[in-house]
Amino acid sequence: MKKGFVTVLPEGEMIRRRLALRDLGLSERAINILHKRAPQLCDAEIARRRIENLRKIGFTDPLSVVESQPFVLMRSEKVITDRIAFWRSWCSILDPHVSIFDISQCRAQIFSAMTQKVHIIFLITQYIQKEVTISRICNIVTLNIESVLIAFAKNPKVDLLKLRHIAKTHILVPKDATWQEKALLIREIKQKLPSCIYAEYISLVIASHPKIPMQTIIDLLQ
């Protein structure tokens, strides 16, 4: 039933969904985390199919993935498959024997971070090529991308560990900064960034703000 733009669940449906998710093997903790991300939770049949999809994709213990990262139940099979392929293509450059399935068991970034943001980080590692590990890449992906770009522009010769430290502790972009304010900060350092990285940043801003005309974003950043 819908009231305006909000779908209202039938009486008792929320309790039934919680019980059904528990029957699938999810803990109360995981259900509560999912509930915060998806207020109406997830239909049990959809959840069951997505857990099975994880198994088909290659996860030997899909329930443990869902338990550690419940929001994967909000991702379609295509999204998960595309994310795994994207990370594998980059990580295999660092380690041909890497198991993305093993990494993704404990690294939510693989499923949650925007691919444009991850692409920027991997591009930066191509220029640094010092102290680059998959774990450090995953750690730096969690930071504000504008802080990372500013740190890189000002310290292009530091290793990845130092870059993360600088971005995290010395270059703090205000949390309440608008996308325009963030974009202007990056435009100021445009000349210090490789063109491929700057172009990927434009793509990230466009993808992050689908309701804003693309040309508006491009005009601001050029």
Side-chain angles (χ1 to χ4, degrees), residues 86 113-124 140-146 148 200 204:
F86 174 77
M114 291 184 66
T115 53
Q116 292 87 350
K117 180 180 182 181
V118 178
H119 196 184
I120 289 172
I121 302 302
F122 274 111
L123 287 174
I124 287 174
I140 204 167
V141 164
T142 64
L143 301 183
N144 179 293
I145 192 60
E146 283 80 16
V148 175
E200 194 63 29
L204 182 149

Coordinates of all heavy atoms in Angstrom, one line a residue, residues 86 113-124 140-146 148 200 204:
F86 N 35.6 -5.6 -11.5 CA 36.3 -4.3 -11.6 C 37.5 -4.4 -10.6 O 38.6 -4.0 -11.0 CB 35.3 -3.2 -11.1 CG 36.0 -1.9 -11.0 CD1 36.3 -1.1 -12.1 CD2 36.3 -1.3 -9.7 CE1 36.9 0.2 -11.9 CE2 36.9 -0.1 -9.6 CZ 37.2 0.6 -10.7
A113 N 32.0 1.3 -2.2 CA 32.7 2.5 -2.8 C 32.3 2.6 -4.2 O 32.2 1.6 -5.0 CB 34.2 2.4 -2.6
M114 N 32.1 3.9 -4.7 CA 31.8 4.1 -6.1 C 33.0 3.7 -6.9 O 34.1 3.9 -6.6 CB 31.5 5.6 -6.3 CG 30.2 6.1 -5.7 SD 29.8 7.8 -6.1 CE 29.6 7.7 -7.9
T115 N 32.7 3.1 -8.1 CA 33.8 2.6 -8.9 C 34.6 3.8 -9.4 O 35.8 3.6 -9.6 CB 33.2 1.8 -10.1 OG1 32.2 2.6 -10.8 CG2 32.6 0.5 -9.7
Q116 N 34.0 4.9 -9.7 CA 34.8 6.1 -10.1 C 35.8 6.5 -9.0 O 37.0 6.8 -9.4 CB 33.9 7.3 -10.4 CG 33.0 7.1 -11.6 CD 31.7 6.4 -11.3 OE1 31.5 5.9 -10.2 NE2 30.8 6.4 -12.3
K117 N 35.4 6.4 -7.8 CA 36.4 6.8 -6.7 C 37.5 5.7 -6.6 O 38.7 6.1 -6.5 CB 35.6 6.8 -5.4 CG 36.5 7.1 -4.1 CD 35.6 7.2 -2.9 CE 36.5 7.6 -1.7 NZ 35.7 7.6 -0.4
V118 N 37.1 4.5 -6.7 CA 38.1 3.4 -6.7 C 39.1 3.6 -7.8 O 40.3 3.4 -7.7 CB 37.5 2.0 -6.7 CG1 38.5 0.9 -6.7 CG2 36.6 1.9 -5.5
H119 N 38.6 3.9 -9.0 CA 39.4 4.1 -10.2 C 40.4 5.2 -10.0 O 41.6 5.0 -10.4 CB 38.5 4.4 -11.4 CG 39.1 4.2 -12.7 ND1 38.5 4.6 -13.9 CD2 40.4 3.8 -13.0 CE1 39.4 4.3 -14.9 NE2 40.5 3.8 -14.4
I120 N 40.0 6.2 -9.3 CA 40.9 7.3 -9.1 C 42.1 6.9 -8.2 O 43.2 7.2 -8.4 CB 40.2 8.5 -8.4 CG1 39.3 9.2 -9.4 CG2 41.2 9.5 -7.8 CD1 38.4 10.3 -8.8
I121 N 41.7 6.1 -7.1 CA 42.8 5.6 -6.2 C 43.8 4.7 -6.9 O 45.0 4.8 -6.8 CB 42.2 4.9 -5.0 CG1 41.2 5.8 -4.2 CG2 43.2 4.3 -4.1 CD1 41.8 7.0 -3.7
F122 N 43.2 3.8 -7.8 CA 44.1 2.9 -8.5 C 45.0 3.7 -9.5 O 46.2 3.4 -9.7 CB 43.3 1.8 -9.2 CG 43.0 0.6 -8.4 CD1 41.8 0.4 -7.9 CD2 44.1 -0.2 -8.0 CE1 41.5 -0.7 -7.1 CE2 43.8 -1.3 -7.2 CZ 42.5 -1.6 -6.8
L123 N 44.4 4.7 -10.1 CA 45.2 5.6 -11.0 C 46.3 6.3 -10.3 O 47.5 6.4 -10.8 CB 44.3 6.6 -11.7 CG 43.4 6.1 -12.8 CD1 42.4 7.2 -13.3 CD2 44.2 5.5 -14.0
I124 N 46.0 6.7 -9.1 CA 47.1 7.4 -8.3 C 48.2 6.4 -8.0 O 49.4 6.8 -8.0 CB 46.5 7.9 -7.0 CG1 45.6 9.2 -7.2 CG2 47.6 8.3 -5.9 CD1 44.9 9.7 -6.0
I140 N 42.6 3.5 1.9 CA 42.6 4.9 1.4 C 41.3 5.2 0.7 O 40.8 6.3 0.6 CB 43.8 5.2 0.5 CG1 44.1 6.7 0.5 CG2 43.6 4.7 -0.9 CD1 45.4 7.1 -0.1
V141 N 40.6 4.1 0.2 CA 39.3 4.3 -0.5 C 38.3 4.8 0.5 O 37.3 5.5 0.1 CB 38.9 3.0 -1.1 CG1 37.4 3.0 -1.4 CG2 39.7 2.7 -2.4
T142 N 38.5 4.6 1.8 CA 37.5 5.0 2.8 C 37.5 6.5 3.1 O 36.6 7.1 3.7 CB 37.7 4.3 4.1 OG1 39.0 4.7 4.7 CG2 37.6 2.8 4.0
L143 N 38.6 7.2 2.6 CA 38.8 8.6 2.9 C 38.0 9.5 1.9 O 37.6 9.1 0.8 CB 40.3 9.0 2.8 CG 41.2 8.3 3.8 CD1 42.6 8.8 3.7 CD2 40.7 8.4 5.2
N144 N 37.8 10.8 2.3 CA 37.3 11.7 1.4 C 38.1 11.9 0.1 O 39.3 12.1 0.2 CB 37.2 13.1 2.1 CG 36.6 14.2 1.3 OD1 37.2 14.6 0.3 ND2 35.4 14.6 1.7
I145 N 37.6 11.7 -1.0 CA 38.4 11.7 -2.3 C 39.0 13.0 -2.5 O 40.1 13.1 -3.1 CB 37.5 11.2 -3.5 CG1 38.4 10.9 -4.7 CG2 36.5 12.3 -3.8 CD1 39.4 9.8 -4.4
E146 N 38.4 14.1 -2.2 CA 39.0 15.4 -2.4 C 40.2 15.6 -1.5 O 41.2 16.1 -2.0 CB 38.0 16.6 -2.0 CG 36.9 16.8 -3.1 CD 35.8 15.8 -3.0 OE1 35.6 15.1 -2.0 OE2 35.0 15.7 -4.0
V148 N 42.2 13.2 -0.6 CA 43.2 12.3 -1.2 C 43.8 13.0 -2.4 O 45.0 13.0 -2.6 CB 42.6 11.0 -1.6 CG1 43.6 10.1 -2.4 CG2 42.1 10.2 -0.4
E200 N 38.6 11.5 -14.4 CA 37.8 10.6 -13.6 C 37.1 11.2 -12.5 O 36.0 10.8 -12.1 CB 38.8 9.5 -13.1 CG 38.1 8.2 -12.6 CD 37.2 7.5 -13.6 OE1 37.6 7.6 -14.8 OE2 36.2 6.9 -13.3
L204 N 33.2 11.1 -11.5 CA 32.7 10.8 -10.2 C 31.6 11.8 -9.7 O 30.6 11.5 -9.2 CB 33.8 10.8 -9.2 CG 33.5 10.4 -7.7 CD1 34.7 9.7 -7.1 CD2 33.1 11.6 -6.9

